[in-house]
Amino acid sequence: QVQLVESGGGLVQAGRSLRLSCAASGSIFSIDSMAWYRQAPGKQRNVVAVLSGSQTNYADSVKGRFSISTNNAKNTVYLQMNSLKPEDTGVYYCNFRTRQSLFGRAYDSWGQGTQVTVSS
């Protein structure tokens, strides 16, 4: 079982920056991917950024403004958000897809969510 704890959300003015963190603990043999999702009010949860190995992918709406990264131990994932816009407002969830053994199935774990509000 993997536990994820998020931090770093808050209220910020448009144009400013925030950095989200998500720390993982528990039984992890390997990590397939780490990702950040966003759920705006009244909308479904959508992927914002994905880190798999050394490859990153971003939603078109955040390309050039957001950056996903991890630490050396690969147990924490970050989302650096620059030039924030009001439409970036939402609850941000981190996701780890992990395995507990070499040929074990992949499991998805989710953080508790952190609110990001961008005022105009």
Side-chain angles (χ1 to χ4, degrees), residues 11-104:
L11 172 63
V12 65
Q13 287 186 324
R16 304 297 291 269
S17 298
L18 275 178
R19 189 172 88 151
L20 306 182
S21 299
C22 172
S25 61
S27 178
I28 298 175
F29 176 80
S30 63
I31 299 173
D32 286 5
S33 63
M34 308 174 195
W36 287 95
Y37 286 70
R38 175 171 69 202
Q39 188 164 19
K43 297 190 176 181
Q44 67 181 15
R45 190 178 300 185
N46 292 317
V47 64
V48 170
V50 180
L51 174 61
S52 180
S54 59
Q55 289 191 331
T56 58
N57 285 285
Y58 298 94
D60 287 344
S61 60
V62 307
K63 280 181 182 175
R65 299 188 298 120
F66 289 14
S67 178
I68 187 171
S69 63
T70 187
N71 60 349
N72 287 337
K74 299 198 185 316
N75 60 1
T76 301
V77 64
Y78 306 98
L79 185 67
Q80 178 67 41
M81 305 185 292
N82 299 326
S83 303
L84 282 161
K85 303 176 181 180
E87 50 264 43
D88 294 320
T89 294
V91 179
Y92 284 71
Y93 297 90
C94 62
N95 165 268
F96 275 56
R97 181 163 290 177
T98 62
R99 298 177 192 268
Q100 292 184 317
S101 62
L102 182 59
F103 299 111

